[in-house]
Amino acid sequence: MGFSINTNIASLQAQEYLRINSDFQHKTINRVTSGLRIVSSGDDAAGLAIANVVRSDRAVIGQGIRNANDGLSTLQTIDGGINNISQLLDRARTLAAQSASGAFTGDRTVLDSEFQSVVTEIDRQAQAIGLNTGGIFAASFSVFIGGGRGSTDAAKISNGSVSVDLSASTVDARSLKLKGSQAVGANATDVDEIIADTTNTASEVVSGKTDFFFRGSGFSDDDRIRVSVNLAGVDDANELVTAINNALTEAGNVGVGTATNFKNAGIRAKVITDSSNNQKLVFESSTNAFQVSAGDRLANALLGNHTSNTGTAIDYTVTGAASAASTGTTFAAARDVIVRVQGGSLASAVDLTLAVTTSTTVDTALTSLSSLVAANASLIGAGISVNAAAAGSAVSFTSKRGENFEVQAVNDTANRLGLGSAQNTTSTSASSFDVTSITSAAFATASGAQTLAISIGGGSYVTLSHTFSSSTVAADIVNTLNTNFASNSSLQQAGLVASTGAGSSIVISSNNGTYFRVSSNTSGGAYGFGTVAGSASTTAVTGGSNTTSAALVSGGSSSSGLLAYSSIRNGNDDQLITLAAKDSAGVEQSLAVTLQADSTAQRGRTIDEAINYINTQIQASSSEDIKKIVAVKERDAAAGGAEKIRFISALASFKVSVGDNPNDTGVTTSQGGVVSSALLTGGANVDISSQTNAQSAVSALAAAVTELGKVQAVVGRGQNQFNFAVSLAQTQLNNLAASESRIRDADLAAEAANLTRAQILQQAGIAALAQANSAPQAVLGLLRG
């Protein structure tokens, strides 16, 4: 081997090995001093990435454990409150049992005072733990813990969460059925004067009896319950309460299904002392929401609607837009004149048919009309009558219940009755009030403009005009009608189409099943629909008709609020109404109801028809919770007394989804939206002020204890869920810590050995480098020689 002084290969190699060993020693010292195998990303980039994910998961699960413990603490607080409420129920049952005894000779007022304070305390404690109706914890809530696995992020979140549903676990007095609904009437001190008022007594349908009408779940609309109270011997509020309760019992014992539902509602009258120390007549139910309305002015006064003890008038009158023809006047054509009455709590329209000929006088027709009205069971039940009408004066109809209704007529070609001259046929007989298609007779030769009016679904007339001449043909009239149909939104929505028929006739039909009537408004009736000098006016409501409310809705009920309603008249205006409520297990139940008015079905032509159909479908539902909802009709004082729909229920809450339709008819409030119920103010606690009430309270409290037990089971199940979740999360946390440690932490035994090795190598390397650096010195020996 040669000697070189310019390049010391041995020194260079020694330096490189010394550098490598120095780096190794540096890393080893870092690992020993930090305790970590991975100090920088260069140590193990893949391992560091995995370790960071594990560390992040540990942080999430650690917080999740704290979340679960917070949830567990909340449930434990709730559980403690429920235990207190359980003890309060025990005390309430003790008091009720004492008052229910026939051998008790003490003052039940004292017992009831403590009883009411116990019920009040139940409400306070329920509110304190957030399980009152609408309370902060009366909901379904999810606590995220982490550690979930799944194919999607949503699945990971869901699987890493614990859900506790307390939405159906409220424990306030109302939820435990210790607080019912209550309708508050007149001051008890006014009762004797109300009963003695001659104006009030003159309004009674049956002398000596006043009528109330009750609507609730299973007894509404056409099946409302009439309670006729015998006032014989009644001089004060307490005697009135006895008489009303006797009548309520009698009405519930009829035996039919609706009467049984009414009986089960347990509505009773009583006298209470309100917060202002005024005695009030009230109607109460511990289980049902209800509406009570007056059947006469005396009942209206007892509901609190009076001036100086005289009940507010409730008669609602509809009067013909024109006077009936004079005495002896005969009808212009032989027809089946149909007079329709709808609304006024009628489940469906009532059609009264008068078969008239050209020899029938107006006098005879009016007498027949009065007889038909007086003999119609539906009109009698609705309290609708026709006033003794005379030829030459306007015909008028009156509802003694104070409810809006309509009266219209068809096929009275010359408007002899003054109720309108619309037509639905050109033949003598008619089987329906309005039609989806009508064919005229041959049009008549005429000159000048002739007007035709069309009423869609019984609504206001829309007038059209065609100018006739000697050269007019049926096609000309059809073209004019179709042009008008296309330019008028109401007629267009009704799907009206005109076409030519046989023998110069004109056919008008609806392509979507909309019902309509026609009326010629020009003398002679050139269109061929048979109307002579017709009138386009519908019946008018007299200004003196009453539009004030004669009904009370029970306070303490859940209510949708007042929802405005507009008659559905077009065939394409179907509207979907969906009711939703949660059952006792927290599972949402729903019912969809379609309102419509076409050739398929007629379920929304009036607010009464809509309410009747909705309630019929509710009672046909398979859900017992949905059956607890009922639709009632109520006047809105803020809207001029307009009749609106209100959904009420004894449920804690429910929702009403209101569908949209082309013409914004049907339920018009919140179309396309959802209406959530709210609790009406008022309500009444169960009481033990009498032996009978105390016996009812004993049963109610037994049911309350059972209900509270169900809630405790839900809360206990939630606590167990959190305990199990914490246990699993802690296991996951320990395993993740171990996994991260295996990746990130240093093996100090191995690293200590490595450090010793590095130190020895460094010492050896330094010594070797010194030798390598001194090797070129040997060359000097050669030069000296």
Side-chain angles (χ1 to χ4, degrees), residues 133-152:
T133 301
I136 186 173
F137 293 121
S140 177
F141 58 91
S142 179
V143 176
F144 181 71
I145 299 175
R149 296 290 182 264
S151 58
T152 64

Side-chain angles (χ1 to χ4, degrees), residues 55-73 75 141-149 154-164 717-733 736:
R55 183 177 62 189
S56 180
D57 287 345
R58 286 178 61 195
V60 170
I61 293 178
Q63 181 59 50
I65 291 173
R66 290 189 289 274
N67 291 347
N69 285 326
D70 289 344
L72 182 60
S73 297
L75 290 183
F141 58 91
S142 179
V143 176
F144 181 71
I145 299 175
R149 296 290 182 264
K156 292 175 183 177
I157 295 296
S158 177
N159 293 334
S161 302
V162 171
S163 295
V164 178
R717 183 171 67 241
Q719 292 181 65
N720 289 336
Q721 283 181 275
F722 282 131
N723 280 324
F724 291 135
V726 168
S727 178
L728 174 61
Q730 192 63 58
T731 300
Q732 289 176 306
L733 191 63
L736 287 172

Side-chain angles (χ1 to χ4, degrees), residues 173-235:
R174 185 172 185 271
S175 301
L176 296 176
K177 302 298 187 296
L178 300 180
K179 176 179 286 187
S181 53
Q182 182 185 80
V184 181
N187 286 329
T189 54
D190 296 331
V191 167
D192 55 340
E193 295 182 17
I194 289 173
I195 294 174
D197 187 283
T198 55
T199 302
N200 291 340
T201 56
S203 69
E204 296 170 347
V205 177
V206 177
S207 180
K209 292 187 176 182
T210 187
D211 292 337
F212 295 95
F213 290 87
F214 289 85
R215 295 172 173 86
S217 177
F219 53 96
S220 59
D221 317 309
D222 208 28
D223 292 325
R224 61 197 176 278
I225 299 298
R226 176 185 178 184
V227 175
S228 188
V229 181
N230 189 340
L231 299 175
V234 174
D235 295 315

Side-chain angles (χ1 to χ4, degrees), residues 65 85 118 121 243 293 310 357 511 540 549 556 578 590 605 633 653 695 699 751:
I65 291 173
I85 292 174
V118 169
E121 181 61 16
S293 59
T310 299
T357 66
N511 59 22
S549 178
T578 305
S590 64
R605 295 171 296 180
K633 184 174 61 175
S653 64
Q695 290 171 345
S699 300
E751 296 303 331

Side-chain angles (χ1 to χ4, degrees), residues 251-270:
N253 287 334
V254 173
V256 297
T258 54
T260 301
N261 292 335
F262 175 68
K263 180 179 180 179
N264 292 338
I267 300 172
R268 308 300 290 173
K270 64 187 295 187

Side-chain angles (χ1 to χ4, degrees), residues 116-470:
Q116 297 304 325
S117 67
V118 169
V119 174
T120 301
E121 181 61 16
I122 289 173
D123 275 336
R124 192 193 69 79
Q125 296 214 9
Q127 188 275 334
I129 62 175
L131 283 187
N132 57 313
T133 301
I136 186 173
F137 293 121
S140 177
F141 58 91
S142 179
V143 176
F144 181 71
I145 299 175
R149 296 290 182 264
S151 58
T152 64
D153 289 341
K156 292 175 183 177
I157 295 296
S158 177
N159 293 334
S161 302
V162 171
S163 295
V164 178
D165 189 358
L166 299 178
S167 59
S169 299
T170 49
V171 293
D172 55 355
R174 185 172 185 271
S175 301
L176 296 176
K177 302 298 187 296
L178 300 180
K179 176 179 286 187
S181 53
Q182 182 185 80
V184 181
N187 286 329
T189 54
D190 296 331
V191 167
D192 55 340
E193 295 182 17
I194 289 173
I195 294 174
D197 187 283
T198 55
T199 302
N200 291 340
T201 56
S203 69
E204 296 170 347
V205 177
V206 177
S207 180
K209 292 187 176 182
T210 187
D211 292 337
F212 295 95
F213 290 87
F214 289 85
R215 295 172 173 86
S217 177
F219 53 96
S220 59
D221 317 309
D222 208 28
D223 292 325
R224 61 197 176 278
I225 299 298
R226 176 185 178 184
V227 175
S228 188
V229 181
N230 189 340
L231 299 175
V234 174
D235 295 315
D236 58 33
N238 291 324
E239 292 175 346
L240 176 64
V241 165
T242 300
I244 292 175
N245 286 331
N246 288 339
L248 289 169
T249 301
E250 183 179 352
N253 287 334
V254 173
V256 297
T258 54
T260 301
N261 292 335
F262 175 68
K263 180 179 180 179
N264 292 338
I267 300 172
R268 308 300 290 173
K270 64 187 295 187
V271 173
I272 66 164
T273 301
D274 65 14
S275 57
S276 300
N277 208 33
N278 294 319
Q279 287 194 316
K280 294 281 189 177
L281 171 68
V282 299
F283 296 90
E284 293 181 350
S285 170
S286 61
T287 58
N288 278 46
F290 65 92
Q291 181 194 61
V292 54
S293 59
D296 51 55
R297 295 181 72 166
L298 197 156
N300 203 24
L302 293 175
L303 293 181
N305 302 313
H306 62 82
T307 302
S308 299
N309 299 319
T310 299
T312 304
I314 59 176
D315 288 0
Y316 186 89
T317 302
V318 172
T319 303
S323 297
S326 58
T327 300
T329 304
T330 58
F331 283 79
R335 290 285 193 275
D336 281 346
V337 177
I338 301 176
V339 177
R340 167 166 286 184
V341 183
Q342 60 183 9
S345 282
L346 292 169
S348 59
V350 172
D351 291 339
L352 308 171
T353 302
L354 303 172
V356 301
T357 66
T358 53
S359 61
T360 303
T361 65
V362 172
D363 310 74
T364 302
L366 290 174
T367 300
S368 298
L369 179 61
S370 297
S371 298
L372 289 172
V373 171
N376 188 279
S378 295
L379 295 179
I380 293 171
I384 297 175
S385 61
V386 61
N387 300 336
S393 62
V395 180
S396 64
F397 295 75
T398 299
S399 166
K400 292 293 185 182
R401 311 281 186 267
E403 301 179 59
N404 292 11
F405 67 100
E406 300 173 348
V407 180
Q408 299 173 343
V410 70
N411 296 333
D412 182 1
T413 58
N415 197 26
R416 294 291 192 251
L417 298 178
L419 300 176
S421 60
Q423 302 294 298
N424 64 14
T425 182
T426 57
S427 64
T428 301
S429 61
S431 58
S432 63
F433 179 78
D434 41 18
V435 293
T436 57
S437 179
I438 185 171
T439 302
S440 74
F443 73 91
T445 302
S447 60
Q450 295 276 321
T451 302
L452 183 70
I454 299 179
S455 169
I456 303 299
S460 301
Y461 282 90
V462 177
T463 57
L464 315 171
S465 179
H466 177 76
T467 302
F468 285 77
S469 68
S470 58

